[in-house]
PDB file of all heavy atoms in Angstrom:
ATOM      1  N   ILE A 192     -59.097 -69.525   6.691  1.00  0.00           N
ATOM      2  CA  ILE A 192     -60.550 -69.446   6.216  1.00  0.00           C
ATOM      3  C   ILE A 192     -60.720 -70.423   5.004  1.00  0.00           C
ATOM      4  O   ILE A 192     -60.402 -70.000   3.906  1.00  0.00           O
ATOM      5  CB  ILE A 192     -61.053 -68.079   5.863  1.00  0.00           C
ATOM      6  CG1 ILE A 192     -60.745 -67.091   7.038  1.00  0.00           C
ATOM      7  CG2 ILE A 192     -62.519 -68.056   5.497  1.00  0.00           C
ATOM      8  CD1 ILE A 192     -61.065 -65.607   6.729  1.00  0.00           C
ATOM      9  N   GLN A 193     -61.180 -71.630   5.223  1.00  0.00           N
ATOM     10  CA  GLN A 193     -61.263 -72.607   4.190  1.00  0.00           C
ATOM     11  C   GLN A 193     -62.677 -73.108   4.032  1.00  0.00           C
ATOM     12  O   GLN A 193     -63.122 -73.475   2.839  1.00  0.00           O
ATOM     13  CB  GLN A 193     -60.388 -73.805   4.468  1.00  0.00           C
ATOM     14  CG  GLN A 193     -58.898 -73.484   4.590  1.00  0.00           C
ATOM     15  CD  GLN A 193     -58.282 -73.090   3.332  1.00  0.00           C
ATOM     16  OE1 GLN A 193     -58.651 -73.715   2.210  1.00  0.00           O
ATOM     17  NE2 GLN A 193     -57.390 -72.172   3.322  1.00  0.00           N
ATOM     18  N   THR A 194     -63.547 -72.999   5.004  1.00  0.00           N
ATOM     19  CA  THR A 194     -64.816 -73.633   5.005  1.00  0.00           C
ATOM     20  C   THR A 194     -65.907 -72.628   5.599  1.00  0.00           C
ATOM     21  O   THR A 194     -65.422 -71.638   6.129  1.00  0.00           O
ATOM     22  CB  THR A 194     -64.980 -74.962   5.757  1.00  0.00           C
ATOM     23  OG1 THR A 194     -64.797 -74.686   7.099  1.00  0.00           O
ATOM     24  CG2 THR A 194     -63.838 -76.008   5.260  1.00  0.00           C
ATOM     25  N   LEU A 195     -67.152 -72.869   5.489  1.00  0.00           N
ATOM     26  CA  LEU A 195     -68.223 -72.060   6.071  1.00  0.00           C
ATOM     27  C   LEU A 195     -67.972 -72.017   7.557  1.00  0.00           C
ATOM     28  O   LEU A 195     -68.278 -70.925   8.111  1.00  0.00           O
ATOM     29  CB  LEU A 195     -69.587 -72.699   5.705  1.00  0.00           C
ATOM     30  CG  LEU A 195     -70.048 -72.559   4.319  1.00  0.00           C
ATOM     31  CD1 LEU A 195     -71.417 -73.262   4.136  1.00  0.00           C
ATOM     32  CD2 LEU A 195     -70.089 -71.061   3.815  1.00  0.00           C
ATOM     33  N   ALA A 196     -67.567 -73.047   8.220  1.00  0.00           N
ATOM     34  CA  ALA A 196     -67.394 -73.031   9.654  1.00  0.00           C
ATOM     35  C   ALA A 196     -66.319 -71.982  10.073  1.00  0.00           C
ATOM     36  O   ALA A 196     -66.387 -71.321  11.094  1.00  0.00           O
ATOM     37  CB  ALA A 196     -66.988 -74.418  10.140  1.00  0.00           C
ATOM     38  N   ASP A 197     -65.347 -71.736   9.171  1.00  0.00           N
ATOM     39  CA  ASP A 197     -64.325 -70.734   9.519  1.00  0.00           C
ATOM     40  C   ASP A 197     -64.791 -69.263   9.442  1.00  0.00           C
ATOM     41  O   ASP A 197     -63.978 -68.437   9.854  1.00  0.00           O
ATOM     42  CB  ASP A 197     -63.164 -70.990   8.468  1.00  0.00           C
ATOM     43  CG  ASP A 197     -62.581 -72.321   8.588  1.00  0.00           C
ATOM     44  OD1 ASP A 197     -62.510 -72.874   9.636  1.00  0.00           O
ATOM     45  OD2 ASP A 197     -61.980 -72.864   7.618  1.00  0.00           O
ATOM     46  N   VAL A 198     -65.954 -69.089   8.909  1.00  0.00           N
ATOM     47  CA  VAL A 198     -66.468 -67.719   8.758  1.00  0.00           C
ATOM     48  C   VAL A 198     -67.014 -67.214  10.180  1.00  0.00           C
ATOM     49  O   VAL A 198     -66.986 -65.964  10.346  1.00  0.00           O
ATOM     50  CB  VAL A 198     -67.666 -67.684   7.707  1.00  0.00           C
ATOM     51  CG1 VAL A 198     -68.296 -66.307   7.750  1.00  0.00           C
ATOM     52  CG2 VAL A 198     -67.167 -68.095   6.334  1.00  0.00           C
ATOM     53  N   ARG A 199     -67.325 -68.096  11.053  1.00  0.00           N
ATOM     54  CA  ARG A 199     -67.785 -67.695  12.335  1.00  0.00           C
ATOM     55  C   ARG A 199     -66.807 -66.769  13.142  1.00  0.00           C
ATOM     56  O   ARG A 199     -65.601 -66.992  13.143  1.00  0.00           O
ATOM     57  CB  ARG A 199     -68.044 -68.869  13.265  1.00  0.00           C
ATOM     58  CG  ARG A 199     -68.617 -68.535  14.634  1.00  0.00           C
ATOM     59  CD  ARG A 199     -68.900 -69.763  15.406  1.00  0.00           C
ATOM     60  NE  ARG A 199     -70.174 -70.404  15.095  1.00  0.00           N
ATOM     61  CZ  ARG A 199     -70.428 -71.498  14.486  1.00  0.00           C
ATOM     62  NH1 ARG A 199     -69.351 -72.217  14.155  1.00  0.00           N
ATOM     63  NH2 ARG A 199     -71.566 -71.916  14.270  1.00  0.00           N
ATOM     64  N   GLY A 200     -67.279 -65.617  13.545  1.00  0.00           N
ATOM     65  CA  GLY A 200     -66.453 -64.693  14.294  1.00  0.00           C
ATOM     66  C   GLY A 200     -65.624 -63.695  13.413  1.00  0.00           C
ATOM     67  O   GLY A 200     -64.964 -62.849  13.892  1.00  0.00           O
ATOM     68  N   LYS A 201     -65.714 -63.905  12.146  1.00  0.00           N
ATOM     69  CA  LYS A 201     -64.925 -63.023  11.244  1.00  0.00           C
ATOM     70  C   LYS A 201     -65.630 -61.749  10.874  1.00  0.00           C
ATOM     71  O   LYS A 201     -66.815 -61.622  11.050  1.00  0.00           O
ATOM     72  CB  LYS A 201     -64.583 -63.820   9.893  1.00  0.00           C
ATOM     73  CG  LYS A 201     -63.742 -65.099  10.170  1.00  0.00           C
ATOM     74  CD  LYS A 201     -62.491 -64.887  10.754  1.00  0.00           C
ATOM     75  CE  LYS A 201     -61.566 -66.083  10.743  1.00  0.00           C
ATOM     76  NZ  LYS A 201     -62.116 -67.242  11.620  1.00  0.00           N
ATOM     77  N   ARG A 202     -64.858 -60.881  10.236  1.00  0.00           N
ATOM     78  CA  ARG A 202     -65.432 -59.540   9.782  1.00  0.00           C
ATOM     79  C   ARG A 202     -65.909 -59.706   8.317  1.00  0.00           C
ATOM     80  O   ARG A 202     -65.161 -60.199   7.503  1.00  0.00           O
ATOM     81  CB  ARG A 202     -64.336 -58.510   9.850  1.00  0.00           C
ATOM     82  CG  ARG A 202     -63.818 -58.184  11.210  1.00  0.00           C
ATOM     83  CD  ARG A 202     -62.556 -57.327  11.120  1.00  0.00           C
ATOM     84  NE  ARG A 202     -61.467 -57.936  10.308  1.00  0.00           N
ATOM     85  CZ  ARG A 202     -60.386 -57.384   9.922  1.00  0.00           C
ATOM     86  NH1 ARG A 202     -60.197 -56.006  10.141  1.00  0.00           N
ATOM     87  NH2 ARG A 202     -59.475 -58.020   9.270  1.00  0.00           N
ATOM     88  N   ILE A 203     -67.152 -59.397   8.071  1.00  0.00           N
ATOM     89  CA  ILE A 203     -67.758 -59.642   6.778  1.00  0.00           C
ATOM     90  C   ILE A 203     -68.045 -58.342   6.137  1.00  0.00           C
ATOM     91  O   ILE A 203     -68.786 -57.519   6.762  1.00  0.00           O
ATOM     92  CB  ILE A 203     -68.899 -60.557   6.790  1.00  0.00           C
ATOM     93  CG1 ILE A 203     -68.622 -61.851   7.352  1.00  0.00           C
ATOM     94  CG2 ILE A 203     -69.628 -60.619   5.491  1.00  0.00           C
ATOM     95  CD1 ILE A 203     -69.833 -62.798   7.638  1.00  0.00           C
ATOM     96  N   ALA A 204     -67.646 -58.036   4.905  1.00  0.00           N
ATOM     97  CA  ALA A 204     -68.047 -56.846   4.193  1.00  0.00           C
ATOM     98  C   ALA A 204     -69.065 -57.195   3.061  1.00  0.00           C
ATOM     99  O   ALA A 204     -68.918 -58.105   2.371  1.00  0.00           O
ATOM    100  CB  ALA A 204     -66.775 -56.298   3.511  1.00  0.00           C
ATOM    101  N   THR A 205     -70.122 -56.248   3.074  1.00  0.00           N
ATOM    102  CA  THR A 205     -71.101 -56.410   2.037  1.00  0.00           C
ATOM    103  C   THR A 205     -71.662 -54.976   1.837  1.00  0.00           C
ATOM    104  O   THR A 205     -71.472 -54.068   2.683  1.00  0.00           O
ATOM    105  CB  THR A 205     -72.261 -57.354   2.347  1.00  0.00           C
ATOM    106  OG1 THR A 205     -73.129 -57.492   1.262  1.00  0.00           O
ATOM    107  CG2 THR A 205     -73.030 -56.977   3.580  1.00  0.00           C
ATOM    108  N   THR A 206     -72.363 -54.760   0.746  1.00  0.00           N
ATOM    109  CA  THR A 206     -72.845 -53.378   0.420  1.00  0.00           C
ATOM    110  C   THR A 206     -73.886 -52.842   1.344  1.00  0.00           C
ATOM    111  O   THR A 206     -73.780 -51.794   1.829  1.00  0.00           O
ATOM    112  CB  THR A 206     -73.314 -53.295  -0.986  1.00  0.00           C
ATOM    113  OG1 THR A 206     -74.317 -54.417  -1.156  1.00  0.00           O
ATOM    114  CG2 THR A 206     -72.218 -53.462  -1.967  1.00  0.00           C
ATOM    115  N   HIS A 207     -74.926 -53.661   1.647  1.00  0.00           N
ATOM    116  CA  HIS A 207     -75.946 -53.213   2.648  1.00  0.00           C
ATOM    117  C   HIS A 207     -76.605 -54.353   3.263  1.00  0.00           C
ATOM    118  O   HIS A 207     -76.620 -55.466   2.711  1.00  0.00           O
ATOM    119  CB  HIS A 207     -76.906 -52.258   1.954  1.00  0.00           C
ATOM    120  CG  HIS A 207     -77.601 -52.842   0.749  1.00  0.00           C
ATOM    121  ND1 HIS A 207     -76.867 -53.102  -0.389  1.00  0.00           N
ATOM    122  CD2 HIS A 207     -78.850 -53.098   0.490  1.00  0.00           C
ATOM    123  CE1 HIS A 207     -77.737 -53.594  -1.351  1.00  0.00           C
ATOM    124  NE2 HIS A 207     -78.904 -53.588  -0.842  1.00  0.00           N
ATOM    125  N   LYS A 208     -77.196 -54.148   4.421  1.00  0.00           N
ATOM    126  CA  LYS A 208     -77.715 -55.246   5.144  1.00  0.00           C
ATOM    127  C   LYS A 208     -79.004 -55.888   4.654  1.00  0.00           C
ATOM    128  O   LYS A 208     -79.345 -57.034   5.112  1.00  0.00           O
ATOM    129  CB  LYS A 208     -78.054 -54.814   6.683  1.00  0.00           C
ATOM    130  CG  LYS A 208     -79.142 -53.753   6.746  1.00  0.00           C
ATOM    131  CD  LYS A 208     -79.261 -53.390   8.161  1.00  0.00           C
ATOM    132  CE  LYS A 208     -80.359 -52.286   8.368  1.00  0.00           C
ATOM    133  NZ  LYS A 208     -80.553 -51.855   9.792  1.00  0.00           N
ATOM    134  N   GLU A 209     -79.668 -55.391   3.708  1.00  0.00           N
ATOM    135  CA  GLU A 209     -80.815 -55.942   3.096  1.00  0.00           C
ATOM    136  C   GLU A 209     -80.604 -56.306   1.632  1.00  0.00           C
ATOM    137  O   GLU A 209     -81.541 -56.429   0.842  1.00  0.00           O
ATOM    138  CB  GLU A 209     -82.053 -55.022   3.311  1.00  0.00           C
ATOM    139  CG  GLU A 209     -82.511 -54.951   4.812  1.00  0.00           C
ATOM    140  CD  GLU A 209     -83.892 -54.229   5.012  1.00  0.00           C
ATOM    141  OE1 GLU A 209     -84.404 -53.795   3.988  1.00  0.00           O
ATOM    142  OE2 GLU A 209     -84.156 -54.088   6.082  1.00  0.00           O
ATOM    143  N   GLY A 210     -79.324 -56.351   1.220  1.00  0.00           N
ATOM    144  CA  GLY A 210     -79.046 -56.813  -0.161  1.00  0.00           C
ATOM    145  C   GLY A 210     -79.560 -58.195  -0.445  1.00  0.00           C
ATOM    146  O   GLY A 210     -79.641 -58.964   0.468  1.00  0.00           O
ATOM    147  N   PHE A 211     -79.767 -58.495  -1.671  1.00  0.00           N
ATOM    148  CA  PHE A 211     -80.308 -59.857  -1.955  1.00  0.00           C
ATOM    149  C   PHE A 211     -79.118 -60.817  -2.332  1.00  0.00           C
ATOM    150  O   PHE A 211     -78.716 -61.717  -1.582  1.00  0.00           O
ATOM    151  CB  PHE A 211     -81.275 -59.733  -3.110  1.00  0.00           C
ATOM    152  CG  PHE A 211     -81.991 -61.140  -3.343  1.00  0.00           C
ATOM    153  CD1 PHE A 211     -82.647 -61.789  -2.343  1.00  0.00           C
ATOM    154  CD2 PHE A 211     -81.988 -61.675  -4.632  1.00  0.00           C
ATOM    155  CE1 PHE A 211     -83.237 -63.004  -2.495  1.00  0.00           C
ATOM    156  CE2 PHE A 211     -82.571 -62.976  -4.792  1.00  0.00           C
ATOM    157  CZ  PHE A 211     -83.244 -63.490  -3.817  1.00  0.00           C
ATOM    158  N   ALA A 212     -78.477 -60.527  -3.571  1.00  0.00           N
ATOM    159  CA  ALA A 212     -77.374 -61.411  -3.966  1.00  0.00           C
ATOM    160  C   ALA A 212     -76.108 -61.098  -3.193  1.00  0.00           C
ATOM    161  O   ALA A 212     -75.097 -61.768  -3.265  1.00  0.00           O
ATOM    162  CB  ALA A 212     -77.168 -61.197  -5.411  1.00  0.00           C
ATOM    163  N   ALA A 213     -76.096 -59.944  -2.463  1.00  0.00           N
ATOM    164  CA  ALA A 213     -74.836 -59.578  -1.714  1.00  0.00           C
ATOM    165  C   ALA A 213     -75.083 -59.658  -0.229  1.00  0.00           C
ATOM    166  O   ALA A 213     -74.314 -59.085   0.583  1.00  0.00           O
ATOM    167  CB  ALA A 213     -74.397 -58.189  -2.101  1.00  0.00           C
ATOM    168  N   MET A 214     -76.134 -60.326   0.237  1.00  0.00           N
ATOM    169  CA  MET A 214     -76.386 -60.458   1.633  1.00  0.00           C
ATOM    170  C   MET A 214     -77.296 -61.671   1.973  1.00  0.00           C
ATOM    171  O   MET A 214     -76.923 -62.634   2.589  1.00  0.00           O
ATOM    172  CB  MET A 214     -76.897 -59.229   2.272  1.00  0.00           C
ATOM    173  CG  MET A 214     -77.252 -59.203   3.722  1.00  0.00           C
ATOM    174  SD  MET A 214     -75.812 -59.560   4.744  1.00  0.00           S
ATOM    175  CE  MET A 214     -76.534 -59.656   6.378  1.00  0.00           C
ATOM    176  N   LEU A 215     -78.563 -61.555   1.590  1.00  0.00           N
ATOM    177  CA  LEU A 215     -79.492 -62.573   1.902  1.00  0.00           C
ATOM    178  C   LEU A 215     -79.151 -64.008   1.470  1.00  0.00           C
ATOM    179  O   LEU A 215     -79.384 -64.959   2.293  1.00  0.00           O
ATOM    180  CB  LEU A 215     -80.902 -62.274   1.526  1.00  0.00           C
ATOM    181  CG  LEU A 215     -81.530 -61.065   2.141  1.00  0.00           C
ATOM    182  CD1 LEU A 215     -83.001 -60.868   1.639  1.00  0.00           C
ATOM    183  CD2 LEU A 215     -81.636 -61.126   3.706  1.00  0.00           C
TER     184      LEU A 215
END
């Protein structure tokens, strides 16, 4: 995982789905 393209298909952790600085 080196670039944005490498994020595709990965597991992403964030606090909540409508967070601003931690999601949107």
Side-chain angles (χ1 to χ4, degrees):
I192 307 176
Q193 299 290 322
T194 67
L195 291 175
D197 299 328
V198 176
R199 181 179 278 109
K201 300 298 190 297
R202 299 168 300 167
I203 300 175
T205 186
T206 51
H207 55 296
K208 64 181 179 180
E209 293 187 359
F211 188 57
M214 178 62 182
L215 291 183

